Amino acid sequence: MVVPGDCEEISPILSMVGNKWTVLAILILSEGPKRYNQMRREIETISQRMLTVTLRGLERDGFIVRRVITDRAPPQVEYSLSPMGEAVVPLLFSLCDWSARHVAKIAENRRVFDSQRASDPCV
Amino acid sequence: MVVPGDCEEISPILSMVGNKWTVLAILILSEGPKRYNQMRREIETISQRMLTVTLRGLERDGFIVRRVITDRAPPQVEYSLSPMGEAVVPLLFSLCDWSARHVAKIAENRRVFDSQRASDPCV
DNA sequence: CAGAATCCTTTTTGATACTG
DNA sequence: CAGTATCAAAAAGGATTCTG
């Protein structure tokens, strides 16, 4: 066996990490609880549908907690990290950190690879 | 800013990690160099097309190295991790490890969430 | 404010057949 | 052995409209 634990078993987390919105949402909530439209403004490019879908998925998995604040005039919904959500943050930060340190090299690797293909497609 | 480095900048790695085949391929190669069909047998459920696409992408990014062995009767192609590929392995292992430790809890969270929805869809 | 619902486009993946 | 090419299916994502 290659990975610690069964390969199939870990797919939920891997697909979680693979989701660009999911990781972003968790990292934004790592700053503290936020409301729906507040997150929407911070992520900017996310569509309303995707924010909802993303938050619903994270709530279902138990990474975040959804709390409806009823005692206010415009009904507000606050999202925050659960303990498990807090627990992944360091892992995601490591990932982001590694990525930030290697993104330039990867971009260059791609350029080289692509230009080699273009100039000599038959190899 | 939420993440170390720009959010947009890290997407290549995040999408790399999100790919279930990609992670699997790297982890399998962390055992040592392998040939194409050898990997195909080990991953079992991967389609030929996806293995090719996955390996090509990893090679383009510089995570793996493709080496054609010409001095043998049936032409062989060997894949191995590049130094950068080796460098991500610990990170992927951490991820897998964390996942393995939480997969059961996540599965239960989902069950609870889904059954609450089913019994009381209006809340 | 915080969404749900619908429709439509794009991206990913899989199955199948063929090749040097 | 190690692919490529093509087509079909599925999944993800976005735009728009509507609501308590």
Side-chain angles (χ1 to χ4, degrees):
Chain A
M1 186 168 21
V2 183
V3 290
D6 223 359
C7 288
E8 303 306 317
E9 284 187 349
I10 62 174
S11 65
I13 287 85
L14 249 34
S15 63
M16 186 284 273
V17 173
N19 211 321
K20 88 181 177 204
W21 301 131
T22 299
V23 172
L24 227 48
I26 292 183
L27 292 177
I28 281 181
L29 287 180
S30 77
E31 296 177 329
K34 311 245 166 144
R35 283 178 299 107
Y36 183 85
N37 277 332
Q38 195 177 357
M39 296 187 69
R40 210 182 146 192
R41 277 189 298 273
E42 292 195 29
I43 306 189
E44 289 189 5
T45 55
I46 197 171
S47 69
Q48 197 175 26
R49 184 179 173 279
M50 275 306 105
L51 180 56
T52 301
V53 168
T54 300
L55 292 174
R56 208 58 80 243
L58 287 172
E59 187 195 358
R60 186 170 101 107
D61 285 354
F63 287 104
I64 68 176
V65 176
R66 178 176 182 272
R67 192 168 68 92
V68 181
I69 304 172
T70 46
D71 59 349
R72 250 172 261 177
Q76 295 189 349
V77 178
E78 187 187 81
Y79 292 94
S80 57
L81 291 184
S82 69
M84 192 177 84
E86 310 251 12
V88 250
V89 171
L91 219 57
L92 298 183
F93 265 83
S94 303
L95 214 55
C96 291
D97 188 50
W98 196 94
S99 302
R101 289 202 314 275
H102 291 79
V103 65
K105 183 61 183 168
I106 290 177
E108 192 198 320
N109 289 340
R110 289 183 180 179
R111 269 198 314 97
V112 171
F113 185 87
D114 292 347
S115 67
Q116 284 179 350
R117 289 270 151 162
S119 65
D120 197 357
C122 301
V123 176
Chain B
M1 187 167 22
V2 184
V3 292
D6 223 357
C7 289
E8 303 306 317
E9 283 187 349
I10 61 174
S11 65
I13 286 86
L14 248 34
S15 64
M16 186 285 273
V17 172
N19 211 322
K20 87 181 180 207
W21 300 132
T22 299
V23 172
L24 227 49
I26 292 184
L27 291 176
I28 281 181
L29 287 179
S30 76
E31 296 178 329
K34 311 244 167 147
R35 283 179 297 107
Y36 183 86
N37 277 333
Q38 193 177 358
M39 296 186 69
R40 211 182 145 191
R41 277 189 298 273
E42 292 195 29
I43 306 190
E44 290 188 3
T45 55
I46 198 172
S47 70
Q48 196 174 26
R49 185 177 172 283
M50 276 306 105
L51 180 56
T52 301
V53 169
T54 301
L55 291 174
R56 208 58 80 241
L58 287 172
E59 186 195 358
R60 187 169 100 108
D61 285 354
F63 287 103
I64 66 175
V65 177
R66 178 177 181 273
R67 193 168 67 94
V68 182
I69 304 170
T70 45
D71 59 348
R72 251 172 258 176
Q76 294 188 349
V77 178
E78 186 188 81
Y79 292 93
S80 58
L81 291 184
S82 69
M84 192 176 83
E86 310 251 11
V88 250
V89 171
L91 219 57
L92 298 183
F93 264 85
S94 303
L95 213 56
C96 291
D97 188 48
W98 195 95
S99 302
R101 289 202 315 273
H102 291 79
V103 65
K105 183 60 181 167
I106 290 177
E108 191 197 320
N109 289 340
R110 289 183 181 178
R111 269 198 312 97
V112 171
F113 185 87
D114 292 347
S115 66
Q116 283 177 350
R117 290 269 150 161
S119 65
D120 197 357
C122 301
V123 175

